[in-house]
Amino acid sequence: MKATILGASGLLGKVLMREWQGDEVVGLGSRDVDIRDASGVRQMVETTRSDWIVLAAAYTNVDDCESHPDLALAVNRDGPVNVARAAQQTGAKLLFLSSDYVFDGRKTSPYETGDARNPQSIYGRSKAEAEVRLLEVLPECCIARTSWLFGTGGKCFPDTILKLAETRPALDVVDDQRGCPTYTVDLARAIIALCRKQARGIVHVTNAGDCSWFEFAREIVKSAGLKTEVRPVSSQQVARPAPRPAYSVLSPKSLQHYGVAMPAWHDALQRYLQERNR
Ligand SMILES: NC(=O)c1ccc[n+]([C@@H]2O[C@H](COP(=O)([O-])OP(=O)(O)OC[C@H]3O[C@@H](n4cnc5c(N)ncnc54)[C@H](OP(=O)(O)O)[C@@H]3O)[C@@H](O)[C@H]2O)c1
């Protein structure tokens, strides 16, 4: 099998390149191909002739997307449509990374793949619209929705918390948003398994279990052996440009259908801390 990773220089892409063994894998960043450029994308797909394209490239700064909606939609919606059209022409299969932010967060039980999209932010809208368009252009594509990514090799929540905890006596962290933290290593392994199993349709891929950002931060600080106090606050007290869903826990049923199990986020956090200390 041959695979192309788009977004290979990103938090997830780097780990996908490292974890994907035993197949021929090509990794491309935005300097190699800008997914907004339809003809460049077509040329790249024709040249690489991969069995699978994993589309991890995106404009991922959720708050900046609010002030740059045109850029967000161009990169996160129109770019993936360019990739899907090119894949459709060459017969390549496509796995697209999407987000829990396609949901409005009003549910109180885990979101299933068929639940209605109702994004609250520009980033969420760009991902939701991409999903709809991709399923029209390439109905057999695989859409892997994930959430709250963390890993080494880039900016992520645990890294930010640890850096702040080293210099501050107390940290205020929001306690009214609940989701599933997901370690890039576990996500990468699941993505590789899904490609090998010829997955199609929408699949939810997160570490097992859920928590609030406050609970996640408290566990990060405790696991690192730091004494910093972590205090729960409401989203209103820490206003940010983009609204986030209050509850975006993704059900694992669609992933279990493919016989793929994800470790608990507590376990993933311990492995992340070990990797970060190496
Ligand atoms: N991070 C999260 O918490 C989270 C949660 C849910 C879903 N996701 C999704 O998971 C995927 C991976 O996220 P990540 O955190 O690994 O992202 P990331 O670290 O921000 O990396 C983004 C990647 O996209 C590339 N890229 C950006 N604009 C591009 C363009 N116009 N053309 C081609 N490539 C472009 C970047 O390339 P350069 O570095 O070369 O510019 C980089 O390789 C994304 O689809 C994201 O939306 C992430």
Side-chain angles (χ1 to χ4, degrees), residues 22-201:
D23 291 307
E24 190 185 342
V25 184
V26 177
L28 304 172
S30 64
R31 266 178 287 175
D32 304 303
V33 63
D34 187 324
I35 57 172
R36 291 171 294 175
D37 170 12
S39 73
V41 166
R42 199 167 48 243
Q43 212 176 357
M44 175 279 294
V45 171
E46 276 166 8
T47 315
T48 49
R49 287 270 157 197
S50 284
D51 301 294
W52 275 94
I53 299 169
V54 175
L55 180 42
Y59 178 29
T60 57
N61 189 320
V62 175
D63 287 321
D64 279 2
C65 283
E66 294 296 308
S67 45
H68 300 91
D70 293 346
L71 180 60
L73 292 168
V75 176
N76 294 346
R77 179 194 62 196
D78 303 341
V81 171
N82 291 335
V83 178
R85 288 207 177 108
Q88 205 258 341
Q89 278 168 11
T90 58
K93 296 188 177 70
L94 175 65
L95 185 146
F96 169 67
L97 267 301
S98 189
S99 165
D100 56 328
Y101 287 6
V102 300
F103 295 121
D104 59 21
R106 294 198 187 114
K107 262 187 99 174
T108 50
S109 60
Y111 278 94
E112 302 295 342
T113 54
D115 283 332
R117 303 173 187 92
N118 188 21
Q120 302 297 294
S121 61
I122 297 291
Y123 171 81
R125 185 186 143 202
S126 68
K127 289 289 188 180
E129 291 184 4
E131 289 188 0
V132 173
R133 297 295 315 281
L134 290 197
L135 290 167
E136 286 165 5
V137 175
L138 200 63
E140 65 274 22
C141 74
C142 180
I143 293 172
R145 288 189 190 133
T146 190
S147 62
W148 296 24
L149 283 197
F150 65 96
T152 58
K155 217 174 149 228
C156 68
F157 182 78
D159 188 56
T160 304
I161 290 293
L162 290 170
K163 283 181 178 148
L164 290 174
E166 278 162 16
T167 56
R168 292 191 194 174
L171 299 175
D172 292 341
V173 184
V174 294
D175 195 27
D176 54 4
Q177 292 168 26
R178 233 179 153 74
C180 305
T182 305
Y183 185 26
T184 48
V185 171
D186 294 333
L187 175 59
R189 288 175 184 163
I191 288 170
I192 297 162
L194 286 171
C195 292
R196 291 191 172 137
K197 287 168 187 269
Q198 311 289 340
R200 52 181 292 174

